[in-house]
C-alpha cells in the first residue's frame, strides 16, 4: 500500500492525478484535496468529465460530483478505485448538489 500512496502523492503534487478507469461507463475522475463541512481535509475523487450518451450521462452523474464509494468500498486512494472496478455492475455512492445518492451502472 505504501508504494501506491507514494505514487498517488507524487501524481497529486505534479497535478497529474487524473485517471479514467471508468472509460466504458463514460466518466473521468480527478483527485483533489478538499475540506468537508466539518473542516476535515481529505483527498477526494471528483467527477471531472462525463461523456455524452454513456451510462454515467444517462444516470445523471454530473461533473463536480464526489465519488464516495464503489460497490460499498469507500474511496480513499486511486489504487482503491482500480481494485473496486473488478465487480460489475458498479454501484456508485456520490455526493452532489448537497445530497448523497446511489447509482448503479452496467
Amino acid at each position: 500500500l505504501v508504494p501506491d500512496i507514494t505514487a498517488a502523492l507524487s501524481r497529486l503534487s505534479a497535478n497529474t492525478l487524473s485517471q479514467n478507469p471508468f472509460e466504458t461507463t463514460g466518466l473521468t475522475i480527478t483527485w483533489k484535496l478538499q475540506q468537508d463541512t466539518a473542516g476535515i481535509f481529505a483527498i477526494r475523487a471528483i467527477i471531472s468529465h462525463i461523456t455524452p450518451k454513456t451510462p454515467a450521462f444517462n444516470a445523471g452523474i454530473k461533473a463536480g460530483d464526489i465519488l464516495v464509494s464503489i460497490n460499498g468500498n469507500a474511496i480513499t486512494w486511486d489504487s482503491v478505485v482500480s481494485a473496486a472496478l473488478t465487480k460489475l455492475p458498479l454501484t456508485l455512492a456520490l455526493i452532489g448538489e448537497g445530497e448523497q445518492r446511489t447509482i448503479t451502472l452496467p
Side-chain angles (χ1 to χ4, degrees):
L1 184 60
V2 172
D4 291 336
I5 293 171
T6 302
L9 289 174
S10 294
R11 290 193 306 279
L12 180 63
S13 65
N15 201 21
T16 58
L17 200 53
S18 291
Q19 62 182 181
N20 191 9
F22 301 96
E23 186 173 347
T24 59
T25 60
L27 60 92
T28 303
I29 60 171
T30 299
W31 294 89
K32 293 185 179 179
L33 183 63
Q34 285 191 334
Q35 188 175 17
D36 66 13
T37 55
I40 298 171
F41 283 93
I43 297 175
R44 304 197 191 286
I46 310 297
I47 307 300
S48 57
H49 177 76
I50 301 293
T51 304
K53 299 181 183 178
T54 61
F57 178 85
N58 295 336
I61 298 173
K62 296 182 178 137
D65 286 351
I66 301 168
L67 179 60
V68 178
S69 71
I70 301 173
N71 295 335
N73 299 309
I75 300 303
T76 54
W77 287 101
D78 60 341
S79 59
V80 177
V81 172
S82 297
L85 293 175
T86 59
K87 296 180 183 177
L88 296 174
L90 299 177
T91 301
L92 308 177
L94 302 154
I95 298 174
E97 299 178 0
E99 63 182 54
Q100 185 165 335
R101 64 192 188 283
T102 302
I103 295 172
T104 300
L105 299 177

